[in-house]
Amino acid sequence: MLREIEKITGKSGLEKMSWKTIVDEVILPMMAGPKGTRWCINDRFMNFLAEFSYDVSLKDEYTATQMLEIALQRLSCGAVLHEPTPWPEPLNKEYHAYSSYYDEPHILTEGCYNFILKAMETCLKNKTTHFHALKILFGIIEHVTPKGELIGMYVAEEVEPKMNIVYAHAVHLVEHPKMGATFDDLYTHYAKPGQWEKHKQWFADNLKQIDWKRFFADTKCLKGNPFQRWQQKRAIKKEIGMLTVAVAW
């Protein structure tokens, strides 16, 4: 990891420095970019954390949390649309200069893509960054289709063909039984108009916990007269039920 930092920054003699000094005087100013000199947190920083998020976490929890939160705030500033989250907090005041609160919104880049695929698991395992990471992942799920089509979201040209991978990875992480979201949180984000169709398999997997009256009220998926609505209810229940049978097979 130190060799990679030296390669990116041109700085030598890192083995003689404390880790916090390396973070404060080399990684952040030379890779993320100091306040007032950047449009957004640089991809050099995002790519570095994508490769070394686990190693950074082993070095020091405090600085690791700050760096992960800096990267998450970069994603929140234009890269991924999602529910509001506080900023510059939870960054400590000494790192507020690296908050994207002060930056211009910027689209999802290759560095963002790499960070999402390789470092979001580390963010979910960190108690401070866990819920911010979940909000970003749910934002991806809401604004991208399973095929990778974008809904009100903008990404770099080289990333767009790979958004189906981003979507699948986001679903995998939020549904992970150990580090993902709770059932209630998943239901709240999935049982929405225009969203529930993407998650029929999840509803099938959790069929015993689904309150159908609430489901139809939340998804607003029924149209027409009472008889037509009754038919639609039967068809939706049957379709989701068949997915349960398919999994059993």
Side-chain angles (χ1 to χ4, degrees), residues 84-112:
T85 185
W87 62 353
E89 292 79 13
L91 283 177
N92 188 284
K93 286 185 178 180
E94 69 172 310
Y95 294 106
H96 277 194
Y98 295 99
S99 170
S100 290
Y101 178 86
Y102 305 103
D103 295 348
E104 293 289 333
H106 200 57
I107 62 173
L108 193 151
T109 61
E110 189 77 27
C112 298

Side-chain angles (χ1 to χ4, degrees), residues 57 61-62 64-66 68-69 72 90 120-134 179:
S57 296
E61 183 180 357
Y62 173 71
T65 298
Q66 302 304 303
L68 291 173
E69 178 60 26
L72 291 175
M120 288 300 265
E121 182 173 334
T122 303
C123 294
L124 288 175
K125 291 178 178 178
N126 182 300
K127 61 183 180 181
T128 301
T129 58
H130 176 82
F131 291 105
H132 190 171
L134 275 182
M179 60 184 171

Side-chain angles (χ1 to χ4, degrees), residues 45-53 111 114-115 118-119:
F45 179 75
M46 302 298 285
N47 284 321
F48 170 76
L49 277 188
E51 294 299 326
F52 296 104
S53 61
N114 291 330
F115 181 88
K118 297 180 180 181

Side-chain angles (χ1 to χ4, degrees), residues 70-216:
I70 288 167
L72 291 175
Q73 291 192 17
R74 159 67 185 99
L75 293 176
S76 295
C77 191
V80 179
L81 301 172
H82 63 80
E83 295 173 348
T85 185
W87 62 353
E89 292 79 13
L91 283 177
N92 188 284
K93 286 185 178 180
E94 69 172 310
Y95 294 106
H96 277 194
Y98 295 99
S99 170
S100 290
Y101 178 86
Y102 305 103
D103 295 348
E104 293 289 333
H106 200 57
I107 62 173
L108 193 151
T109 61
E110 189 77 27
C112 298
Y113 168 84
N114 291 330
F115 181 88
I116 291 168
L117 259 61
K118 297 180 180 181
M120 288 300 265
E121 182 173 334
T122 303
C123 294
L124 288 175
K125 291 178 178 178
N126 182 300
K127 61 183 180 181
T128 301
T129 58
H130 176 82
F131 291 105
H132 190 171
L134 275 182
K135 286 188 177 185
I136 290 171
L137 292 169
F138 277 125
I140 291 169
I141 293 168
E142 184 169 345
H143 293 95
V144 183
T145 72
K147 293 182 178 180
E149 299 160 328
L150 304 175
I151 305 170
M153 190 174 154
Y154 299 94
V155 305
E157 185 177 350
E158 64 272 18
V159 175
E160 190 164 355
K162 300 182 284 189
M163 288 304 292
N164 61 319
I165 300 172
V166 175
Y167 175 88
H169 187 61
V171 170
H172 167 72
L173 290 178
V174 299
E175 294 183 8
H176 194 283
K178 293 184 178 180
M179 60 184 171
T182 64
F183 170 84
D184 289 339
D185 208 11
L186 287 163
Y187 176 87
T188 298
H189 285 88
Y190 285 1
K192 291 180 177 181
Q195 292 296 317
W196 70 273
E197 296 97 327
K198 298 192 289 187
H199 306 292
K200 292 176 183 177
Q201 186 61 62
W202 182 84
F203 290 112
D205 294 341
N206 295 274
L207 195 61
K208 292 182 180 179
Q209 298 184 70
I210 303 302
D211 178 334
W212 286 108
K213 183 176 181 180
R214 180 186 172 191
F215 171 86
F216 290 121

